[in-house]
Amino acid sequence: NEKVIFGTNWLAQAEHGGYYQAVVDGTYAACGLDVTIQQGGPQVAGRPLLLAGKIDFYMGGNMQQAFDAVAQDIPLRVVAASFQKEPQVMMSHPGEGLDKWEDLKNADQYIVGDEGAQSFLLWMATEYGFDVSKRVPYTFNAAPFIANKKSIQQGYVTSEPFAVQKEGGFMPNQFLLADYGYSTYSTTIEAMQETIDKRPEVVQCFVDGSAKGWYNYLYGDNAAANAAIKKDNPDITDEQIAFTIAQLKKFGIVDSGDTEKLGIGAMTDARMQDFYNKMVKAKVIPAGIDIKKSYTLNFVNKGVGLDLKK
Amino acid sequence: MSMPEPSRPVLDPEEARRVRQQRLERIGRWVLPLAIMILAIWLWDRICVWNEIPKYILPRPGLVLQTLHDDAGLLFSSLLVTLKITFLSLALAVVGGVGLAVLFAQSKWVEMSFFPFAIVLQVTPIVAIFPLINIYVDNQTTKLLLCAWIVAFFPILSNTTLGLNSVDRNLLDLFRLNGATRWQQLRLLRLPAAMPYFLGGLKIAGGLSLIGAVVAEFVAGASGQSSGLASRIIEAGYRLNAPRLFAALILISLAGIVIFLALSLVSNLVLRRWHESAMVQER
Amino acid sequence: MSMPEPSRPVLDPEEARRVRQQRLERIGRWVLPLAIMILAIWLWDRICVWNEIPKYILPRPGLVLQTLHDDAGLLFSSLLVTLKITFLSLALAVVGGVGLAVLFAQSKWVEMSFFPFAIVLQVTPIVAIFPLINIYVDNQTTKLLLCAWIVAFFPILSNTTLGLNSVDRNLLDLFRLNGATRWQQLRLLRLPAAMPYFLGGLKIAGGLSLIGAVVAEFVAGASGQSSGLASRIIEAGYRLNAPRLFAALILISLAGIVIFLALSLVSNLVLRRWHESAMVQER
Amino acid sequence: MSQSEGMSGDSGVPAADDRAPLLFLRNVSKTFSTGTVALRGVDMTIRDGDFLSLLGPSGCGKSTALRLIAGLSTPTSGQIEWPGASSRSDIGFVFQEPTLMPWASVFDNVWLPLRLRGISRAQAQPAVMEMLERVHLAGFADAVPRELSGGMKMRVSIARAMVTKPRLLLMDEPFAALDEITRFQLNNDLLDLWQDQRFTVVFVTHSVFESVFLSNRIVTMAARPGRVADEMAVSAPYPRDEAFRTSVDYAALCRQASTALEAAMGTNAEPQHVHA
Amino acid sequence: MSQSEGMSGDSGVPAADDRAPLLFLRNVSKTFSTGTVALRGVDMTIRDGDFLSLLGPSGCGKSTALRLIAGLSTPTSGQIEWPGASSRSDIGFVFQEPTLMPWASVFDNVWLPLRLRGISRAQAQPAVMEMLERVHLAGFADAVPRELSGGMKMRVSIARAMVTKPRLLLMDEPFAALDEITRFQLNNDLLDLWQDQRFTVVFVTHSVFESVFLSNRIVTMAARPGRVADEMAVSAPYPRDEAFRTSVDYAALCRQASTALEAAMGTNAEPQHVHA
Ligand SMILES: Nc1ncnc2c1ncn2[C@@H]1O[C@H](COP(=O)(O)OP(=O)(O)OP(=O)(O)O)[C@@H](O)[C@H]1O
Ligand SMILES: Nc1ncnc2c1ncn2[C@@H]1O[C@H](COP(=O)(O)OP(=O)(O)OP(=O)(O)O)[C@@H](O)[C@H]1O
Ligand SMILES: [Mg+2]
Ligand SMILES: [Mg+2]
C-alpha cells in the first residue's frame, strides 16, 4: 500500500472524525492507501509541509487560502470540501444587548484569532460594519470572553460553546457565519498540482475514502475512530466528542445542501464564485484571480458513500 | 576614663550586634523566602476571593494544588518530556555558546564576521522560521532541540565572549612572554578567567532553555503520549481547564527555580575559592 | 658578531610583521564581515537554485530584496512600530532589571526571597498567561510592553546582580571604614563595578527585547494600521506570501544587528578607560 | 581626652605611659578557615598619639593585625577594646595594595573619603589638591589608575588615607614602592604632620631604618604563628631630621631593631598551615 | 656566543666591555596616548651576563623600559635591537605587581612557565618545589593567592620567573614587599645563582643599597620625561658577601649612587602630561 500523510490543522478531535474513521476501519487501505494522520496545533503551520512535499494532503481551513495560493502562483488545489459550511461562529453573552447578529458589532471587544483577523473579520467589517480596531487576539483560551460580558468571540460551533457552557455556566449565543453569507467551504482537502497530475488515483482514493469515512463516522459505529482520536490527544473527553458530533449534525456542517445528491465533499463552481465575489468586495482578496486554478471538481460530486447513510 | 573589666569576656556592642545578625541571617536565609512564598500564595488566594475571580480565569491555589495532585501522573510525565528537552538544549547551548565564544576569541575578524549570524539567530522569531525547520528536519526531538537551542545559546555566547576578553592584561603578557600557544592561552588563562561570566550566562540560559523547550513544543506541536507541558497548557487553555493550566505553569516555575538554584550552586562551588561573587568573606 | 648598521632605520622582522598585521586588521575589520555576509547571501541563493526550492518555501535573496523595495512603505512603518515597543521595553527592562538587582543587593534575605519570583516571570510562557493579562490590562501598548518586558528583563537582572556582588573586597572595606551609607556604597562602588556585567546583560537584553516585542505582538496582536512586523509576518504567512515574510524577517535581523552594534558601542565608550574587555591595549 | 593631657618635656611627644590608651589588643588570635594561624595570643596597647611601627617577616600577620584594629576583621579569640570609644570611626587606612577605584580619576579617588562624609567636589578641592601636591601627583589629578606607575598608585592611596586627617592612621607598607628620596621626603612630611596634629599611627614597614626614624615604639613580630616577639621604645626626641639620621644614636637604635628582628626570625617556628 | 668568552680575572665576572652585547636600546622613546612621555631618547646597551640595576624616582619609566625590553610594548620611536637574536624568547619577568592567576594554587602558578613549555606536573615537581623552598613557601604549595600575604604573593611571582632558569631575567622591584632579612637572603640567593649560571639580569629597585650590592652596572634615570641620567659601573669583585656589605668600598659606592639619584631628581623637569 502506498504511504500517504494527511496533515490536520489542529490537535485530534471529533472534527477530524471522518478521516480517523477511514483509517481505523480500513477504508483507505481498501483502495490502496496507508494513511498516517499527522495532527496540527494552534501555532503549528502545517501548510508549508504540503508545499514542500513532506505531506501529501493538508486540511485547509477555508477557500480563502486556496485563492491566496493562486495569487502567489502556488500550484495548490482543493480537491474536496469535507465541510459544506464554515463551522465558525461568533459567540456573545445572552441578555447583554448582543443577542442579534446586527448588534454584535457594538461589543467592546472582538476576540478573534490571527487567521480570523485576516479573513472573516474583514468580511464582517465590510459587509456588516464591524470595527476591526476592537479586535484582540484569541489565544484559544475563552477565559477573557467569559470574563467580559460585553465581548464577542470566535469559535468553532463544535467546541467553544461547549467549553464556555461547562466553565462559564451559560450557553452563549451562537451565530454561524455561514448563515450570514460567509459561503466558503471548509475543512478542505488540499493537494499539490504535482500529486494530482502524477498520482490521480491516490487523490481519488483519499477523497473517496474520506467521504466514506465521514458517513461511517456520523451515521455508523465510530467507537474505534474516537479511540484513535483520544490516543492522539489524551486530553479530549467523551463528552466533548459527543457534543461535537451532535453539533455537526445539528448545523449540517458536513452533510447538507449539495451533499444530498453529490455526496460528502461536494463542491460547485457557483459556490466558489459567490464566495470569491464576496471576498473581493470585502477587499480581503484582490480581484482578478483565476479561482478555477484553486480547486478541481475532478474528484468529487460522484455521490460516493451515499449508500452508507442510513 | 574607666578601664574595662578584664575578667568577663567583653563583647563590645558592635561585635554583639554582628553575632546576633549572623545567627538571624542563618535562620532567615531559609525561613524568610519560604514565608514570603507562603505569603504570596495566600495573597493570590485572597485576591481570588476578594475580587470574586471565577476559577476558569484564575483558580485559587488550593484548587491548583488539588489538580496538581489529581493529575499528577499526566502532568509529571509531561514535565519529564519538557525537562528532557530543556537539559539537552542547555547542554547544546553550553557547547554551542562556549564553542562559538572560543572561536570568536581567536580573532577580532572572526568575531566581527560571525557575530552577526549569532544575533540573527537570537532575534529571529521561532514561530516564523519554524515552517522551514519543519520541512528540512525530520526528527521531532531534533526540531524541538533546535528551537530550544536557538532560544538559549545567546546569553552563554555573549557572556563568555565578554569573559574571554576580560582577562588581566599582565597575565596575558606573561603568557605571551612564555611563548604560550593560542590553545594554551585559551585553556589555562582565558577560560578560567571567563568562568564567572560564563556561569552568569549559564544561569540566564538555564531559564531560557526551559522556556525554549516550552515554546518549541508550542510551535512544533507534539503528538501523542510523549507530549510535554506545553501541550498540556494549550489543551487545558482550550478546554478552559484553568486549574490544570495553572498546575502546569506552576510545575514549569518550580522547574525553573530548581534549575536556577542548581546552577547557582555549581557556580558557587566553582568560584568559591577565588572570585568575589562567590567568596565567603572571612572577617 | 655583526653590529647592525645604525644609519638606516632597522625594523626587526617581528616588528615589521606586526605593522603589516595591524594594517591588514584595520582593513579586514570591515571588509571581511561584509565579504562573509555577501558570501552567505550568495550561498542562500545557490542553495535555492541547486535544490530547486520553490519561492513559496524559501524565496531567493534577490526576490526578497525586490519585495523589501516594493513593500518598503508597509514594512518600514511596521518596523517603526516594533522598534518603538523594543526600545520602550528595553528601557523598562533596564529600569526593572537594575532596580531589582539593586534591591537584591541590599541583603541576601531580599535576594533569596524575591529572586524566585523573577525566575517565575522568566520561565512563564507568555502565551499561557496572556489571557490573564488581556483581562486585566486594557491598553494595547501596555500589554505589548508587559510581554516584551517579561522576555527582556531577566538577563539584566541576573548579570547586574552578579556584577554588584563582584566588587573588590578591599574597596568594600574602604567604604565601610569611611562609614559609607548603603546608598553611597551602591552609587559610588557597586554600580560602577557592576558596569561591565550590566552592559553584558544589556547586550543580551537588546536582542531579547526585540524578539520580545515581536513575540508580544504575535500573542497580543495588533489592530488596524499600527501593526508591527509580527503582524506582517503572520499575515504574510497566512497569505502564503513568503517573499514578504522573509523581507520582514530580514528587517528584524538587521534591527537586531544594529541594536547590538549600538549597545556594543555604548559599552566600549563607557568601559574604554578602565575595563579589560574594552581597553585598547597600548603596546 | 584632650590632646594636651600628659605632655612631657620639650620633645613635643608625651611620655609613653602618661598618654591615654586608645585601644587594647587582649590575647588576640586569628585563625583562617584554611587552618593558617595568622596571629596567636597577641597583646598590645596602642596609646593616643603613638607612632607605632610593626616590624616582622613576610607573612607574620602584620596586615592581619591592622585589619583587626580597623574592625575589618574579627579575632577568632581574644578582644579588641576601645576604652575611649570615640575614634573607632575615624580611621585612615593605607592598604598594602593600592586598592583604587579603576573607573575613577585620581582626584575622585582621593576625594572619596571626603565625599562619603558629604563634602562636595568644590569644597573638597583644596584639601584634595593639597594632598596630591604632597605626594607629587598634582599634575595627574585627571588620570585614571591604569595610567599610573606602581609607585604613583601607592601615593594616591596614601593621599586618600590622609585627606580626612584621621585620628588613627593605619599604614601597611605605604612607602615600599617608592624610591628612597621620595620616601625620605614623605617620611619627613608624615612626621611633621604627626607632630603638628597629634594623631595616632600604626605603621607596617619592612625597613628597620624607616621604623627607627619615624616611630616612638617598635613592635617586632615573629611568624607562624604570628605573635609579638619584642617591643622597644625609640626614646629619641622629636622633631627628627637629617641630623638624627646620621647620628650615632640612630645607628645604635637601628642595630638594636635589626637584632630584634633577627631574633624574631631565628625563633621562627616550623611553618604551620593545613593544606592537604 | 659562548659563556666563557671574554672572562677576565678571578672575580668570576667578565669585564664589562669584553662581553658580547645582548641588546641595544637606540634612542628609544615612548609616549602614551594620554600624552605622558614615559621615556625620551633612551640609549642603553645590555651585555650578556650583566647584572644591571635601574634606579630612579617613581614614575620615571623603569617599568616601561622593562616592558619594552621584553617586547611587551613597542617604542614610539627608536629601536630595540637584539644582535644575537637568540635570547628574545627566553625571558623571565617579575612584574611590579604579583600578577598571579587567582584561580590556581601556588604550585600551579609557579608551574605555569614550565607547563607552557610542555613539561608535565610530575616532571616539573622537583624544579617547582625547589623554587618554592628558596622563597620559603614550600608549605603553601596548595594555597590560592588570596590566602597569601602581600610579600608571599610577590615571592610566588619571583619563583615563577626563575623556575625556567631564563637567559634574561627582568625584575621590577621584586623585593620591595619583603622584610630586610628575607630580602638579604634572596639577594644572596640571586647573586649565587647568577654567578653560577651567568644569565643576564635587569633589575629595577628603589634601594640604592640593594643596587650596589647586587649589580655590576647601575643606570640612574630621571623623570618626566623618563631618560637616562647617569650610568656607573660597580667595580667591586664578585662573589659579594656580608663582608662587602660592611666594607668602606660599599659605603662609598652607595654614596656615589645616592648622589647620582639625587642629581637625577634635582634635574627633574616640570611634570609633563596632557590631561584636560
Ligand atoms: N598605560 C599607561 N597609559 C598612560 N600612561 C602610562 C601608562 N603606563 C605608565 N604610564 C605613565 O608612564 C610613566 C612611567 O611609568 P612607569 O610605570 O614606567 O614608571 P616607573 O618608573 O616604573 O615608576 P614606579 O617606580 O612608580 O613603578 C608614568 O608617568 C605613568 O603615569
Ligand atoms: N584570606 C586569607 N585566608 C587564609 N589565609 C590568609 C588570608 N589572609 C592572610 N592569610 C595568612 O595569614 C598569614 C598572615 O598574613 P598577613 O597578610 O597578615 O601577613 P603580613 O605580615 O602582612 O605579610 P607581608 O609582609 O608579606 O604582607 C599568612 O600566612 C597568610 O598566608
Ligand atoms: Mg601584609
Ligand atoms: Mg614601576
PDB file of all heavy atoms in Angstrom, chain C residues 37-51:
ATOM      1  N   MET C  37      29.253  38.143   4.750  1.00  0.00           N
ATOM      2  CA  MET C  37      27.814  38.354   4.643  1.00  0.00           C
ATOM      3  C   MET C  37      27.363  38.128   3.188  1.00  0.00           C
ATOM      4  O   MET C  37      26.381  37.422   2.938  1.00  0.00           O
ATOM      5  CB  MET C  37      27.524  39.789   5.081  1.00  0.00           C
ATOM      6  CG  MET C  37      26.114  40.115   5.498  1.00  0.00           C
ATOM      7  SD  MET C  37      25.255  38.851   6.453  1.00  0.00           S
ATOM      8  CE  MET C  37      25.438  39.405   8.116  1.00  0.00           C
ATOM      9  N   ILE C  38      28.128  38.707   2.278  1.00  0.00           N
ATOM     10  CA  ILE C  38      27.776  38.550   0.859  1.00  0.00           C
ATOM     11  C   ILE C  38      27.880  37.086   0.448  1.00  0.00           C
ATOM     12  O   ILE C  38      27.011  36.554  -0.257  1.00  0.00           O
ATOM     13  CB  ILE C  38      28.700  39.445  -0.006  1.00  0.00           C
ATOM     14  CG1 ILE C  38      28.319  40.915   0.213  1.00  0.00           C
ATOM     15  CG2 ILE C  38      28.589  39.078  -1.484  1.00  0.00           C
ATOM     16  CD1 ILE C  38      29.306  41.898  -0.348  1.00  0.00           C
ATOM     17  N   LEU C  39      28.912  36.439   0.942  1.00  0.00           N
ATOM     18  CA  LEU C  39      29.082  35.016   0.660  1.00  0.00           C
ATOM     19  C   LEU C  39      27.874  34.230   1.146  1.00  0.00           C
ATOM     20  O   LEU C  39      27.338  33.355   0.443  1.00  0.00           O
ATOM     21  CB  LEU C  39      30.339  34.497   1.358  1.00  0.00           C
ATOM     22  CG  LEU C  39      30.794  33.108   0.915  1.00  0.00           C
ATOM     23  CD1 LEU C  39      31.537  33.203  -0.406  1.00  0.00           C
ATOM     24  CD2 LEU C  39      31.666  32.463   1.978  1.00  0.00           C
ATOM     25  N   ALA C  40      27.430  34.555   2.377  1.00  0.00           N
ATOM     26  CA  ALA C  40      26.294  33.835   2.955  1.00  0.00           C
ATOM     27  C   ALA C  40      25.054  34.032   2.088  1.00  0.00           C
ATOM     28  O   ALA C  40      24.301  33.078   1.822  1.00  0.00           O
ATOM     29  CB  ALA C  40      26.040  34.322   4.376  1.00  0.00           C
ATOM     30  N   ILE C  41      24.859  35.259   1.639  1.00  0.00           N
ATOM     31  CA  ILE C  41      23.685  35.535   0.807  1.00  0.00           C
ATOM     32  C   ILE C  41      23.789  34.792  -0.520  1.00  0.00           C
ATOM     33  O   ILE C  41      22.816  34.213  -1.015  1.00  0.00           O
ATOM     34  CB  ILE C  41      23.552  37.061   0.578  1.00  0.00           C
ATOM     35  CG1 ILE C  41      23.225  37.733   1.912  1.00  0.00           C
ATOM     36  CG2 ILE C  41      22.488  37.367  -0.454  1.00  0.00           C
ATOM     37  CD1 ILE C  41      23.197  39.237   1.859  1.00  0.00           C
ATOM     38  N   TRP C  42      25.002  34.769  -1.055  1.00  0.00           N
ATOM     39  CA  TRP C  42      25.215  34.052  -2.308  1.00  0.00           C
ATOM     40  C   TRP C  42      24.918  32.563  -2.119  1.00  0.00           C
ATOM     41  O   TRP C  42      24.267  31.929  -2.949  1.00  0.00           O
ATOM     42  CB  TRP C  42      26.662  34.272  -2.762  1.00  0.00           C
ATOM     43  CG  TRP C  42      27.018  33.545  -4.015  1.00  0.00           C
ATOM     44  CD1 TRP C  42      26.739  33.927  -5.290  1.00  0.00           C
ATOM     45  CD2 TRP C  42      27.703  32.293  -4.117  1.00  0.00           C
ATOM     46  NE1 TRP C  42      27.210  32.992  -6.166  1.00  0.00           N
ATOM     47  CE2 TRP C  42      27.810  31.980  -5.488  1.00  0.00           C
ATOM     48  CE3 TRP C  42      28.251  31.414  -3.171  1.00  0.00           C
ATOM     49  CZ2 TRP C  42      28.434  30.829  -5.941  1.00  0.00           C
ATOM     50  CZ3 TRP C  42      28.870  30.269  -3.619  1.00  0.00           C
ATOM     51  CH2 TRP C  42      28.963  29.975  -4.995  1.00  0.00           C
ATOM     52  N   LEU C  43      25.377  32.029  -0.981  1.00  0.00           N
ATOM     53  CA  LEU C  43      25.124  30.616  -0.676  1.00  0.00           C
ATOM     54  C   LEU C  43      23.626  30.331  -0.616  1.00  0.00           C
ATOM     55  O   LEU C  43      23.137  29.334  -1.163  1.00  0.00           O
ATOM     56  CB  LEU C  43      25.756  30.255   0.659  1.00  0.00           C
ATOM     57  CG  LEU C  43      26.965  29.344   0.556  1.00  0.00           C
ATOM     58  CD1 LEU C  43      27.596  29.157   1.921  1.00  0.00           C
ATOM     59  CD2 LEU C  43      26.571  28.004  -0.037  1.00  0.00           C
ATOM     60  N   TRP C  44      22.931  31.210   0.083  1.00  0.00           N
ATOM     61  CA  TRP C  44      21.471  31.101   0.195  1.00  0.00           C
ATOM     62  C   TRP C  44      20.866  31.002  -1.218  1.00  0.00           C
ATOM     63  O   TRP C  44      20.061  30.117  -1.522  1.00  0.00           O
ATOM     64  CB  TRP C  44      20.961  32.307   0.984  1.00  0.00           C
ATOM     65  CG  TRP C  44      19.503  32.602   0.937  1.00  0.00           C
ATOM     66  CD1 TRP C  44      18.495  31.822   0.415  1.00  0.00           C
ATOM     67  CD2 TRP C  44      18.862  33.772   1.462  1.00  0.00           C
ATOM     68  NE1 TRP C  44      17.287  32.430   0.580  1.00  0.00           N
ATOM     69  CE2 TRP C  44      17.471  33.624   1.214  1.00  0.00           C
ATOM     70  CE3 TRP C  44      19.315  34.914   2.110  1.00  0.00           C
ATOM     71  CZ2 TRP C  44      16.550  34.601   1.602  1.00  0.00           C
ATOM     72  CZ3 TRP C  44      18.394  35.870   2.497  1.00  0.00           C
ATOM     73  CH2 TRP C  44      17.019  35.709   2.233  1.00  0.00           C
ATOM     74  N   ASP C  45      21.319  31.904  -2.093  1.00  0.00           N
ATOM     75  CA  ASP C  45      20.808  31.914  -3.449  1.00  0.00           C
ATOM     76  C   ASP C  45      21.109  30.590  -4.144  1.00  0.00           C
ATOM     77  O   ASP C  45      20.226  29.974  -4.756  1.00  0.00           O
ATOM     78  CB  ASP C  45      21.463  33.070  -4.217  1.00  0.00           C
ATOM     79  CG  ASP C  45      20.765  33.312  -5.540  1.00  0.00           C
ATOM     80  OD1 ASP C  45      19.569  33.648  -5.496  1.00  0.00           O
ATOM     81  OD2 ASP C  45      21.410  33.154  -6.591  1.00  0.00           O
ATOM     82  N   ARG C  46      22.363  30.158  -4.011  1.00  0.00           N
ATOM     83  CA  ARG C  46      22.753  28.916  -4.683  1.00  0.00           C
ATOM     84  C   ARG C  46      21.953  27.730  -4.165  1.00  0.00           C
ATOM     85  O   ARG C  46      21.534  26.859  -4.923  1.00  0.00           O
ATOM     86  CB  ARG C  46      24.253  28.651  -4.478  1.00  0.00           C
ATOM     87  CG  ARG C  46      25.187  29.539  -5.285  1.00  0.00           C
ATOM     88  CD  ARG C  46      24.917  29.469  -6.767  1.00  0.00           C
ATOM     89  NE  ARG C  46      23.978  30.508  -7.177  1.00  0.00           N
ATOM     90  CZ  ARG C  46      23.401  30.591  -8.354  1.00  0.00           C
ATOM     91  NH1 ARG C  46      23.624  29.666  -9.286  1.00  0.00           N
ATOM     92  NH2 ARG C  46      22.571  31.564  -8.628  1.00  0.00           N
ATOM     93  N   ILE C  47      21.773  27.691  -2.851  1.00  0.00           N
ATOM     94  CA  ILE C  47      21.036  26.565  -2.268  1.00  0.00           C
ATOM     95  C   ILE C  47      19.629  26.517  -2.851  1.00  0.00           C
ATOM     96  O   ILE C  47      19.111  25.453  -3.195  1.00  0.00           O
ATOM     97  CB  ILE C  47      21.002  26.686  -0.728  1.00  0.00           C
ATOM     98  CG1 ILE C  47      22.373  26.307  -0.170  1.00  0.00           C
ATOM     99  CG2 ILE C  47      19.929  25.783  -0.136  1.00  0.00           C
ATOM    100  CD1 ILE C  47      22.501  26.471   1.310  1.00  0.00           C
ATOM    101  N   CYS C  48      19.019  27.681  -2.984  1.00  0.00           N
ATOM    102  CA  CYS C  48      17.688  27.731  -3.572  1.00  0.00           C
ATOM    103  C   CYS C  48      17.703  27.175  -4.997  1.00  0.00           C
ATOM    104  O   CYS C  48      16.818  26.430  -5.402  1.00  0.00           O
ATOM    105  CB  CYS C  48      17.166  29.169  -3.598  1.00  0.00           C
ATOM    106  SG  CYS C  48      16.743  29.798  -1.987  1.00  0.00           S
ATOM    107  N   VAL C  49      18.751  27.551  -5.740  1.00  0.00           N
ATOM    108  CA  VAL C  49      18.811  27.135  -7.141  1.00  0.00           C
ATOM    109  C   VAL C  49      19.136  25.649  -7.253  1.00  0.00           C
ATOM    110  O   VAL C  49      18.459  24.893  -7.948  1.00  0.00           O
ATOM    111  CB  VAL C  49      19.856  27.981  -7.897  1.00  0.00           C
ATOM    112  CG1 VAL C  49      20.046  27.437  -9.314  1.00  0.00           C
ATOM    113  CG2 VAL C  49      19.409  29.427  -7.934  1.00  0.00           C
ATOM    114  N   TRP C  50      20.207  25.258  -6.524  1.00  0.00           N
ATOM    115  CA  TRP C  50      20.644  23.865  -6.632  1.00  0.00           C
ATOM    116  C   TRP C  50      19.538  22.885  -6.240  1.00  0.00           C
ATOM    117  O   TRP C  50      19.342  21.865  -6.882  1.00  0.00           O
ATOM    118  CB  TRP C  50      21.879  23.623  -5.749  1.00  0.00           C
ATOM    119  CG  TRP C  50      23.095  24.311  -6.259  1.00  0.00           C
ATOM    120  CD1 TRP C  50      23.378  24.631  -7.548  1.00  0.00           C
ATOM    121  CD2 TRP C  50      24.191  24.802  -5.479  1.00  0.00           C
ATOM    122  NE1 TRP C  50      24.583  25.278  -7.636  1.00  0.00           N
ATOM    123  CE2 TRP C  50      25.108  25.394  -6.375  1.00  0.00           C
ATOM    124  CE3 TRP C  50      24.503  24.796  -4.119  1.00  0.00           C
ATOM    125  CZ2 TRP C  50      26.296  25.971  -5.961  1.00  0.00           C
ATOM    126  CZ3 TRP C  50      25.689  25.357  -3.702  1.00  0.00           C
ATOM    127  CH2 TRP C  50      26.567  25.950  -4.614  1.00  0.00           C
ATOM    128  N   ASN C  51      18.862  23.205  -5.153  1.00  0.00           N
ATOM    129  CA  ASN C  51      17.837  22.268  -4.677  1.00  0.00           C
ATOM    130  C   ASN C  51      16.462  22.555  -5.255  1.00  0.00           C
ATOM    131  O   ASN C  51      15.467  21.970  -4.849  1.00  0.00           O
ATOM    132  CB  ASN C  51      17.755  22.308  -3.150  1.00  0.00           C
ATOM    133  CG  ASN C  51      19.063  21.905  -2.521  1.00  0.00           C
ATOM    134  OD1 ASN C  51      19.729  20.993  -2.993  1.00  0.00           O
ATOM    135  ND2 ASN C  51      19.454  22.610  -1.462  1.00  0.00           N
TER     136      ASN C  51
END
